[in-house]
Amino acid sequence: MAFTLINPDSLGAPSGYSHGLVADATGKLLFIAGQIAWDQRQKIVSDDFVEQFDRALANVVTVLSAAGGKPEHIVRLVIYVTDKIEYRERTREVGERYRKHLGKHFPAMVLVQVAGLLDDAAKVEIEGMAVLPA
Amino acid sequence: MAFTLINPDSLGAPSGYSHGLVADATGKLLFIAGQIAWDQRQKIVSDDFVEQFDRALANVVTVLSAAGGKPEHIVRLVIYVTDKIEYRERTREVGERYRKHLGKHFPAMVLVQVAGLLDDAAKVEIEGMAVLPA
Amino acid sequence: MAFTLINPDSLGAPSGYSHGLVADATGKLLFIAGQIAWDQRQKIVSDDFVEQFDRALANVVTVLSAAGGKPEHIVRLVIYVTDKIEYRERTREVGERYRKHLGKHFPAMVLVQVAGLLDDAAKVEIEGMAVLPA
């Protein structure tokens, strides 16, 4: 289940993601709902952006694991934030938390600042897709 | 074409969606463009949020049906709203309209509030993906 | 690798996209990260919206080509803009640039106005997915 990362020189070296990822469609597709920093009681675990990022990504991995997948099976992540300044100012910490959960697997990503997330206390929501071995 | 829903206990029980959904990739993939509450003349059918949600989702199902799919083939929905307060205040009605079109099939979902939709009169846009039997 | 476009009469004729697109999942899936109008040094090439659209889409095609794909293999595009008014006012030019890169292949699309893109100078980000021949 090896994926091929696509990072053309002409786009410059991506930091923390890949410009493209090719997966054989012979496996199974896992669609992961947007995850925020909810605990089991569906309460946001912290006001802190980095802690929220950590938990939201942990929740993505929880779904992935429950489906029998591993971090290296993720093909796409979409990160919705409510404050891009906060994201930028704490990029280093975000990167540490990322690697804690997903190691050095960097799939295709999107990051946009939205006008709001459904839970007013949420600062980040992460959606994912994975291709699992058949 | 049975999908496996992934709802880990540690994430709490999701209401109206699933945390994860696994589909065999042996079928066909249907990508559905973002649908708003347009009628055949591409005019928004109502100012009312719930009526718009109803029509946008009906349009998703129109595309799905035209491709030979059924509600239970949907694997992913992304709901873009312009006012999350309105969505929250009318969740019960939204749920009724949801079940009217898709029954009790709850795929992976994302819901975010965006800064705007292309048609100024639109209050909700719904994108979908489905995996159809081969 | 022929895709089936789904454009039900009851939704009206889509302009510059398709309401639905069906792809056989026997090929390979390409996930393309959100592309902005960066040059090789990762600097935005122009302040102008249309020039940015042109370059962001060119970057999408760069990833696609590096993966061995062609424009007609794209199944889904998501266009995030920071100013929908600008997009609307320059739709004709946007269409010209679109056809320059992707010809008359119109996959399923989403376009939303977001609150912000990570690079403050970016006015548009384009994410893509493609299904490539096996």
Side-chain angles (χ1 to χ4, degrees), chain B residues 2 60 71 88 131-132:
Chain B
V60 167
R88 278 203 305 240
V131 176
L132 310 179

Side-chain angles (χ1 to χ4, degrees), chain A residues 6 8-13 18-25 29 75-76 84 87-88 108-114 129, chain C residues 25 27-35 38-40 42 59 62-63 66-67 76 80 114-118 120 125 127:
Chain A
I6 308 293
D9 285 346
S10 65
L11 296 182
S18 294
H19 284 299
L21 183 155
V22 178
D24 277 340
L29 301 174
V75 294
R76 172 180 178 266
K84 68 178 178 176
Y87 174 86
R88 278 203 304 238
M109 293 195 204
V110 172
L111 188 146
V112 293
Q113 176 176 306
V114 291
M129 290 181 57
Chain C
K28 292 180 289 184
L29 301 174
L30 169 62
F31 300 88
I32 302 172
Q35 299 293 323
W38 272 357
D39 61 18
Q40 189 167 6
Q42 306 195 333
N59 290 349
T62 294
V63 177
R76 171 180 179 265
Y80 299 100
V114 292
L117 297 172
L118 194 52
D120 290 331
E125 176 163 335
E127 184 205 5

Side-chain angles (χ1 to χ4, degrees), chain B residues 54-120:
Chain B
D54 186 286
R55 182 59 182 242
L57 194 55
N59 289 349
V60 167
V61 173
T62 294
V63 177
L64 177 68
S65 301
K70 295 181 178 173
E72 60 265 32
H73 298 141
I74 293 180
V75 293
R76 172 179 177 267
L77 291 174
V78 181
I79 303 172
Y80 299 100
V81 299
T82 56
D83 180 356
K84 67 177 178 178
I85 307 297
E86 198 161 25
Y87 175 87
R88 278 203 305 240
E89 289 178 346
R90 304 190 68 184
T91 296
R92 193 184 53 76
E93 294 165 273
V94 166
E96 288 169 1
R97 302 305 176 100
Y98 181 92
R99 291 187 296 277
K100 170 183 157 191
H101 294 293
L102 299 184
K104 294 191 173 178
H105 173 62
F106 300 115
M109 292 194 204
V110 172
L111 187 147
V112 293
Q113 176 176 306
V114 291
L117 297 172
L118 194 51
D119 185 323
D120 289 331

